[in-house]
Each structure stands twice: as structure tokens, then as C-alpha cells.
Amino acid sequence: MVKIDLNADLGEGGSADAALMTLVSSVNIACGFHAGDAQTMLESVRHAIKNGVAIGAHPSFPDRENFGRTAMDLPPETVYAQVLYQTGALEAMVRAGKGVLRHVKPHGMLYNQAAKDPVLAAAIARAVRDCNPQLILVGLAGSELIRAGERLGLTTRQEVFADRGYMPDGSLVPRTQAGALITDEAKALAQTLEMVRYGRVTAVDGTTAHVQADSGMFTRRWRACAPVRASACGPRSLKRAFLSAQINHKRTELCLKARRSAARRIASRRR
């Protein structure tokens, strides 16, 4: 059985970050352009190092007003500079804490636009390579961002979403459209297992799209639930689903470690 990375976006002002550190194998830390600041970045890095999870940068378009979800048409060199700036800042904080920055995952609209725009994707991949060619580039499974990273010789990790709706081409349903979010836990788990076990996802129109699941992510809705009982919400259930799924592909490097003792301590405090 190959284990899959379960990641979460943190340092964005949520109250559940500390609890989530015990449930995931990697974190993507906001770098100030859509959320967070120097202090939250440093605190998030310290928590991640303490919990032994892989640390990644989560760069964004400069859009704090709309949480990085505003579409932008910026020159490639501007995007290159912004991604390099954000990634380099976080890498310096990780290095100061005697840790290692492992990956980069763009945020929000930067992530979504780079999934389809090869020029934007190339600018991001180039910034990651020039910052540190050992960094892993995380992007939507089957996207232009993955292809751009591969062309530059970067290690890539293809990401799937447990509780986001998919379009027939394998892209995510825009948040402005019906079906963007899966709010039923059973459906989210079923989608997770379908992607991890069989390398496919059922799109909103009923067709299937191929996906490669190297890493899985749950959205802010589930992340807000982390402090409540494990039976009442999603992150722990999603983690079990990823751990139990039997798959047959070789491309995975970030490894999900089941911290059972930590989970038991958290569960006992909540009883």
C-alpha cells in the first residue's frame, strides 16, 4: 500500500491550526499576500517543525481583500517576482528554525489560473526552480502547472480535493457555481476513495475524469471542524480514508504518517 500525503492550508487566521497539525502530513503556509503576516508565518513554521510535518509555501496573487480569489491578468515577470518573494521569505523562516522547506503550492485563483494557463504556470515553476530546485511543486492533478514543473525538471505532486466538485476536464468547479463544495461527509469520503483507489473522479455532469492522487486536501469548511469530536466532522475520517486506500502507483514522496498516539490524546481530551 502506498501512502498519500494529506495537506492543509494554514496560517490564514483559522483557530484550528494547532489541532490540524496532528492530522496532516504537510502544511501550506500563507505568505502574506492573501492572508497572514511575518508573525503568523513564523508561528506556523514553528508549530509545523514541532509536529514533524512537511512545510510548504502557499504564495498568492496580491489580494488580501478577497482572500486571493480574485482573477488577475499580471505580466509573467510580475508573477515570477511575487512567487519568488513569498517563497524566499518563508524559506528563510524555515531555515532559521532549523527546518527544511519541502514544497510550494499556489493559493486560490493563482492556483486555478495556473492550472489552465501555460504562461502563468511557467512563471510560477521558474520562480520555484530559481528559489530552490529541490522544492516540490504541488498543483492540480493533470494541470498545466504540473506540466510546467516537469518541463523544468522539478519534482511535482499532483493534488486532488476531497470535498470540491470537479468539471469534466478534471478542473475544479468554480466557487461561484453550484456543486463547487461537497458538504456531505459521506460523499466527500466516497470521492476521496474513488480518486485514490481508481485514479478517477466523477464530475458534476456524471462523467468521469482521470486524476493522479499524490496529495489530498480538504477545504476551509472541514478545517474549521478540527476541534470538535472526530465522529462529528471530516478531517480524521478523511485521514483514515487516505490511509486505508489501496493504490498502485509509484509517484509519491510525501508520506502520510498516522500519529495514533497524538490522535488518541486529542480524542480523550474531547470525551
Side-chain angles (χ1 to χ4, degrees):
M1 181 175 70
V2 179
K3 296 178 181 179
I4 300 299
D5 169 52
L6 181 60
N7 76 82
D9 303 340
L10 302 183
E12 296 176 332
S15 60
D17 283 14
L20 280 166
M21 291 280 187
T22 68
L23 299 175
V24 299
S25 50
S26 67
V27 293
N28 319 301
I29 298 175
C31 300
F33 272 41
H34 74 281
D37 55 29
Q39 189 61 41
T40 60
M41 290 165 67
L42 187 58
E43 290 173 357
S44 296
V45 164
R46 288 170 174 169
H47 282 304
I49 292 173
K50 180 180 178 181
N51 284 276
V53 299
I55 303 171
H58 199 37
S60 169
F61 281 137
D63 177 33
R64 294 183 69 89
E65 294 77 12
N66 196 35
F67 199 66
R69 292 177 180 161
T70 301
M72 295 187 179
D73 185 16
L74 300 178
E77 280 303 305
T78 299
V79 174
Y80 168 84
Q82 291 175 348
V83 172
L84 186 61
Y85 175 88
Q86 294 174 79
T87 304
L90 188 72
E91 185 173 43
M93 293 186 178
V94 175
R95 189 166 58 247
K98 303 296 189 288
V100 178
L101 187 68
R102 298 293 184 184
H103 65 276
V104 177
K105 174 191 163 182
H107 168 80
M109 193 55 72
L110 180 63
Y111 180 99
N112 291 332
Q113 287 183 218
K116 296 184 175 182
D117 184 342
V119 175
L120 180 63
I124 295 169
R126 189 160 54 90
V128 173
R129 181 201 60 187
D130 292 352
C131 182
N132 181 349
Q134 300 305 311
L135 290 171
I136 298 167
L137 180 59
V138 180
L140 186 66
S143 68
E144 289 293 341
L145 185 60
I146 295 297
R147 286 188 280 274
E150 290 174 344
R151 281 194 293 270
L152 291 181
L154 292 170
T155 300
T156 60
R157 287 295 169 263
Q158 304 199 42
E159 183 179 43
V160 296
F161 287 76
D163 54 352
R164 286 293 305 273
Y166 278 80
M167 301 293 283
D169 64 355
S171 62
L172 299 178
V173 175
R175 288 178 179 269
T176 55
Q177 296 183 17
L181 292 176
I182 298 173
T183 57
D184 181 87
E185 181 178 339
K187 291 181 180 179
L189 290 173
Q191 175 164 289
T192 299
L193 291 173
E194 181 183 24
M195 293 186 292
V196 173
R197 284 176 171 167
Y198 306 115
R200 66 175 187 244
V201 63
T202 301
V204 288
D205 67 350
T207 61
T208 59
H210 170 75
V211 293
Q212 179 173 311
D214 295 330
S215 181
M217 193 249 184
F218 50 90
T219 65
R220 290 174 65 81
R221 178 184 180 274
W222 296 114
R223 300 207 298 275
C225 298
V228 284
R229 296 193 328 272
S231 61
C233 205
R236 205 178 304 277
S237 298
L238 291 174
K239 181 178 181 179
R240 287 198 300 269
F242 273 79
L243 281 170
S244 64
Q246 300 288 333
I247 62 175
N248 187 28
H249 66 72
K250 299 178 181 179
R251 298 190 65 219
T252 186
E253 183 172 306
L254 298 174
C255 189
L256 175 59
K257 297 178 181 178
R259 283 180 286 278
R260 295 186 179 89
S261 60
R264 284 196 294 269
R265 288 197 300 273
I266 293 172
S268 65
R269 289 199 296 268
R270 293 171 185 157
R271 291 193 184 101

